[in-house]
Amino acid sequence: MGGLWRPGWRWIAFWGERCSRLGPSFGAAERVEPFLRLGCSGTRSAVTGLRRLGTWKRPSRARDPAEQPGRRLKSTNPFTRAQEEDWRRRNKTVLTYVAAAAVGMLGASYAAVPLYRLYCQTTGLGGSAVAGHASDQIENMVPVKDRIIKVTFNADVHASLQWNFRPQQTEIYVVPGETALAFYKAKNPTDKPVIGISTYNVVPFEAGQYFNKIQCFCFEEQRLNPQEEVDMPVFFYIDPEFAEDPRMVNVDLITLSYTFFEAKEGHKLPVPGYN
Amino acid sequence: MSTAMNFGSKSFQPRPPDKGSFPLDHFGECQRFKEKFLRCLRESGFENASCRKQSKEYLECRMERQLMAREPLEKLGFGDLTDGQSEARSPF
């Protein structure tokens, strides 16, 4: 038989000699050796140790099956052979840890996506929605009277939508913490009912996280009958924390811009927010 | 939504409104109140603070006509205006 396949048996014999016990053959020495060593300690029998072999999973063993048939040890001296065995075992342990770390890194990179989202929501960085803004906050907020902000309004319509859509006031002066009302007007000059859906935009982007709309007409389909003209109100406020943000010191003008699109069958406008 | 594809630049994230969408006032039931509010705005130089009473009346009109979910006005930020309401309602 090839020398590569025989060493397993030799090692079992070797260990058996050392512990003055003989264990049945179970394949490669690496698998059996720790259990025989258990037996060598004298507190447990080799049988118990080997019984454990069937039930106890050693994942590190399963990872490198290529090594199982047994590699030839370099040394022939029994003392250095033990040392080499020890090194091999340690190498395998290190390899296991490194592999586990790599898998852990991969998992962490996948977990980072929802975690970052959560982080952004709690701290409000990057203009994302700040969670925890309840309606009772509106009740208790105090207007910051010395900080006047001009809010201008813009109205846009997608090319395929034939509505006349415009704001009914050019600007409004508000202070943070004060609720304000603004109006847009939309008219359907065609002879067919048209359904539109709108989205909005706030510039500057950083101020957008402080711009809270209590109620408006966006993200829901609005149907206009032929030749119909309606008023579309927007009820909003600017968060009082706006006045305390150092990045907003130079912001005196906020532009609210609405754009209407035609709502087609089966076409879904992406509704914002992570809920 | 920002269409600039630069990585790491701040982009705007639109948020849905807190209380949803206003139903459309197809019959113009609250148009009078809206006109009053806009007239007040024009007269005061588009200052919101001076026209809050009119905006409150507009929202009350909407609530009465089922065009808006009924809510106590304090929750809409009109707490300072509702104190005087119970004592003297100006007839018009």
Side-chain angles (χ1 to χ4, degrees):
Chain A
M1 280 274 212
L4 278 171
W5 303 104
R6 275 295 165 186
W9 301 93
R10 242 196 299 151
W11 295 340
I12 291 176
F14 169 68
W15 283 108
E17 254 177 74
R18 265 182 71 158
C19 315
S20 61
R21 271 182 225 274
L22 277 173
S25 56
F26 262 83
E30 285 107 7
R31 245 189 268 139
V32 177
E33 152 212 307
F35 301 96
L36 286 178
R37 245 187 299 123
L38 272 177
C40 280
S41 66
T43 54
R44 291 179 255 267
S45 70
V47 178
T48 330
L50 289 168
R51 199 179 291 145
R52 282 220 199 132
L53 178 68
T55 53
W56 189 37
K57 278 177 85 154
R58 287 276 298 252
S60 60
R61 298 299 176 215
R63 273 224 186 110
D64 34 19
E67 251 179 279
Q68 288 309 333
R71 283 199 322 257
R72 227 197 170 105
L73 288 178
K74 284 211 181 96
S75 51
T76 47
N77 189 344
F79 300 104
T80 51
R81 196 185 291 173
Q83 191 185 45
E84 206 177 319
E85 288 252 353
D86 193 38
W87 286 342
R88 288 213 180 167
R89 204 168 37 248
R90 225 179 286 157
N91 284 348
K92 237 172 287 205
T93 318
V94 170
L95 212 70
T96 312
Y97 278 120
V98 167
V103 171
M105 285 294 166
L106 201 71
S109 63
Y110 274 103
V113 173
L115 285 178
Y116 180 71
R117 211 177 274 168
L118 212 69
Y119 168 74
C120 275
Q121 276 185 348
T122 43
T123 58
L125 289 177
S128 45
V130 183
H133 269 231
S135 62
D136 36 299
Q137 192 223 6
I138 305 174
E139 239 180 311
N140 302 324
M141 67 183 179
V142 176
V144 182
K145 293 244 187 266
D146 51 355
R147 188 77 194 273
I148 297 181
I149 300 164
K150 178 172 164 182
V151 181
T152 52
F153 302 94
N154 185 35
D156 275 320
V157 151
H158 186 67
S160 62
L161 186 65
Q162 286 169 327
W163 285 4
N164 300 331
F165 179 55
R166 55 194 163 79
Q168 296 196 47
Q169 66 282 310
T170 48
E171 68 229 7
I172 195 169
Y173 291 91
V174 294
V175 295
E178 195 176 67
T179 53
L181 189 61
F183 285 93
Y184 281 81
K185 189 190 279 276
K187 179 174 161 86
N188 178 10
T190 65
D191 298 322
K192 285 199 292 279
V194 176
I195 303 176
I197 191 166
S198 68
T199 182
Y200 77 102
N201 196 2
V202 175
V203 275
F205 292 148
E206 298 88 350
Q209 56 172 310
Y210 293 105
F211 190 89
N212 301 318
K213 294 185 320 303
I214 301 172
Q215 206 161 357
C216 70
F217 53 90
C218 42
F219 309 117
E220 261 191 42
E221 290 181 355
Q222 311 287 356
R223 182 196 163 97
L224 279 187
N225 293 320
Q227 306 297 327
E228 188 180 1
E229 186 169 29
V230 286
D231 300 314
M232 292 175 165
V234 182
F235 193 44
F236 65 93
Y237 68 95
I238 296 176
D239 201 315
E241 285 176 7
F242 177 92
E244 285 148 34
D245 192 336
R247 292 175 301 162
M248 303 290 155
V249 163
N250 296 323
V251 175
D252 286 321
L253 175 68
I254 292 180
T255 304
L256 174 65
S257 177
Y258 273 93
T259 310
F260 253 102
F261 300 89
E262 184 165 5
K264 294 196 185 76
E265 293 300 316
H267 179 78
K268 258 189 97 58
L269 187 76
V271 178
Y274 297 122
N275 43 338
Chain B
M1 292 255 227
S2 167
T3 51
M5 290 297 162
N6 17 350
F7 204 57
S9 72
K10 293 189 189 67
S11 69
F12 177 70
Q13 306 278 346
R15 299 199 302 272
D18 293 343
K19 299 202 193 320
S21 176
F22 275 124
L24 284 188
D25 185 6
H26 286 279
F27 303 110
E29 290 161 14
C30 296
Q31 194 152 10
R32 258 182 62 222
F33 296 93
K34 180 211 76 164
E35 294 293 340
K36 275 224 295 271
F37 173 71
L38 287 177
R39 204 179 324 131
C40 163
L41 264 192
R42 268 178 249 132
E43 282 161 13
S44 68
F46 294 105
E47 208 183 290
N48 178 52
S50 35
C51 299
R52 292 190 62 231
K53 195 161 142 303
Q54 280 80 358
S55 62
K56 176 175 80 91
E57 281 164 11
Y58 177 79
L59 292 177
E60 274 174 345
C61 162
R62 275 218 160 216
M63 282 195 249
E64 275 164 31
R65 310 261 193 298
Q66 306 294 322
L67 289 170
M68 183 172 162
R70 194 156 260 288
E71 257 197 72
L73 290 169
E74 291 81 13
K75 283 220 183 323
L76 298 172
F78 291 113
D80 51 335
L81 293 178
T82 51
D83 295 334
Q85 183 190 351
S86 51
E87 291 149 31
R89 250 201 104 102
S90 57
F92 44 78

